[in-house]
Amino acid sequence: SQTIHQWPATLVQPVGSPLSLECTVEGTSNPNLYWYRQAAGRGLQLLFYSVGIGQISSEVPQNLSASRPQDRQFILSSKKLLLSDSGFYLCAWSRGSETQYFGPGTRLLVL
Amino acid sequence: KQEVTQIPAALSVPEGENLVLNCSFTDSAIYNLQWFRQDPGKGLTSLLLIQSSQREQTSGRLNASLDKSSGRSTLYIAASQPGDSATYLCAVDWADKLIFGTGTRLQVFP
């Protein structure tokens, strides 16, 4: 069976510090991978998606970036966090346009 | 512009009631539509996926319908229970772009 992991579960970071969130998927190969953010009081927003290693599409302009160094690894990064980066970050995977399966999420608080 | 709207934003009902959550979307050229459940502080759980060629899907007490021509989907929950309390999200897939609605926060009280 397939499983998706995210870490850390919770993170508190000062403004201006770097960020690295990791997502890994087990039990499948060549998945589509996604990063979403849910800011307080707002809907879920797609940040990045990837259909293969090294292939990243960005949906919104921001100070975040994503990388896919391995088939089942997706990393969300920032060089300098902003207060507005606080939120709940979710990673998801799918086979093509089929159902997306979400990880447990990372709660990020930028102070 | 592709948009997804959910009504109502919040709903509070007594246990046992049947209820309907609504989702509307622009641009009928969708791949599929999904309904998710989100519990506070947790990841999303996929409830039902309706392909663009389908009209409805059922799972237990849940039934989701899709009318592409009118840009609407409904999630029907039968005999609601307190454990159904959560936020329900509708998401529409347009060519690998999944756009979520803002959700309906449901509370079912005993």
Side-chain angles (χ1 to χ4, degrees):
Chain A
S1 63
Q2 300 84 15
T3 56
I4 180 168
H5 304 279
Q6 285 187 247
W7 64 90
T10 304
L11 191 59
V12 181
Q13 292 284 91
V15 169
S17 64
L19 173 73
S20 180
L21 303 182
E22 188 163 345
C23 171
T24 58
V25 181
E26 297 177 356
T28 187
S29 59
N30 196 31
N32 285 3
L33 296 173
Y34 310 83
W35 276 112
Y36 293 88
R37 175 171 63 196
Q38 187 172 37
R42 300 179 62 181
L44 207 62
Q45 182 184 40
L46 177 63
L47 302 175
F48 301 95
Y49 70 92
S50 170
V51 297
I53 295 175
Q55 301 178 61
I56 309 294
S57 296
S58 174
E59 292 299 304
V60 292
Q62 60 216 328
N63 69 320
L64 300 172
S65 62
S67 62
R68 186 169 177 174
Q70 300 180 40
D71 182 44
R72 291 169 290 176
Q73 184 184 29
F74 206 22
I75 297 173
L76 183 69
S77 304
S78 173
K79 293 182 179 179
K80 287 186 178 182
L81 283 169
L82 306 173
L83 286 174
S84 59
D85 291 325
S86 294
F88 191 52
Y89 289 81
L90 288 163
C91 178
W93 75 273
S94 72
R95 292 191 188 94
S97 61
E98 296 179 6
T99 299
Q100 291 193 16
Y101 299 92
F102 287 77
T106 295
R107 186 169 300 283
L108 172 65
L109 179 61
V110 182
L111 301 176
Chain B
K1 182 181 178 182
Q2 294 154 332
E3 296 180 344
V4 181
T5 305
Q6 287 188 249
I7 296 173
L11 187 61
S12 183
V13 300
E15 181 177 8
E17 274 201 9
N18 301 324
L19 51 96
V20 175
L21 307 182
N22 297 293
C23 172
S24 60
F25 51 92
T26 58
D27 188 353
S28 61
I30 68 173
Y31 274 19
N32 60 53
L33 183 147
Q34 297 182 58
W35 282 93
F36 294 89
R37 168 185 173 142
Q38 184 177 30
D39 293 282
K42 296 185 179 180
L44 299 181
T45 301
S46 179
L47 299 173
L48 291 164
L49 170 71
I50 310 177
Q51 299 289 354
S52 63
S53 59
Q54 298 174 325
R55 296 296 299 266
E56 67 176 351
Q57 284 286 331
T58 299
S59 176
R61 293 183 293 109
L62 304 179
N63 176 275
S65 66
L66 174 64
D67 184 346
K68 283 197 307 180
S69 60
S70 65
R72 293 181 180 179
S73 175
T74 61
L75 179 66
Y76 176 82
I77 303 177
S80 58
Q81 304 171 357
D84 294 331
S85 299
T87 295
Y88 290 81
L89 294 164
C90 164
V92 180
D93 192 341
W94 283 288
D96 285 333
K97 178 183 292 185
L98 196 67
I99 297 180
F100 285 79
T102 51
T104 294
R105 191 169 59 256
L106 172 66
Q107 182 179 11
V108 181
F109 54 90

